[in-house]
């Protein structure tokens, strides 16, 4: 049972990360392709106020690599 619980948790984490990655890609593409501000792009994809900091941090990590 412990292994099954661990596998289940791992799958849930993977799904969450996949959703987060997809939302970030949408956010980034809206900014890049439609020239939206970060706030406009976050509004467009419906990111809640409590989650915005996470996506802005991800954006700063991506843009600092360039």
């Amino acid at each position: 049972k412990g292994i099954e619980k661990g596998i289940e948790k791992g799958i849930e984490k993977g799904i969450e990360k996949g959703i987060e990655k997809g939302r970030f890609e949408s956010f980034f593409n809206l900014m890049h392709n439609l020239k939206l501000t970060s706030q406009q792009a976050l509004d467009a994809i419906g990111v809640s106020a409590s989650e915005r900091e996470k996506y802005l941090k991800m954006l700063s990590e991506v843009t600092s690599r360039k």
Side-chain angles (χ1 to χ4, degrees), residues 1-12:
K1 274 201 172 210
I3 292 174
E4 288 175 15
K5 275 245 192 261
I7 291 170
E8 191 175 303
K9 282 255 189 232
I11 290 170
E12 287 175 16

Side-chain angles (χ1 to χ4, degrees), residues 6-42:
I7 291 170
E8 191 175 303
K9 282 255 189 232
I11 290 170
E12 287 175 16
K13 267 288 198 218
I15 290 170
E16 288 173 18
K17 280 290 185 194
I19 291 169
E20 184 177 279
K21 183 177 188 243
R23 289 182 88 187
F24 177 76
E25 288 173 356
S26 295
F27 163 57
F28 186 82
N29 287 334
L30 284 170
M31 289 178 52
H32 184 262
N33 297 332
L34 298 180
K35 310 297 185 223
L36 297 181
T37 67
S38 59
Q39 296 304 316
Q40 289 170 326
L42 290 169

Side-chain angles (χ1 to χ4, degrees), residues 44-55:
I45 61 172
V47 174
S48 67
S50 63
E51 290 185 300
R52 286 177 184 243
E53 191 61 38
K54 171 175 58 177
Y55 289 97

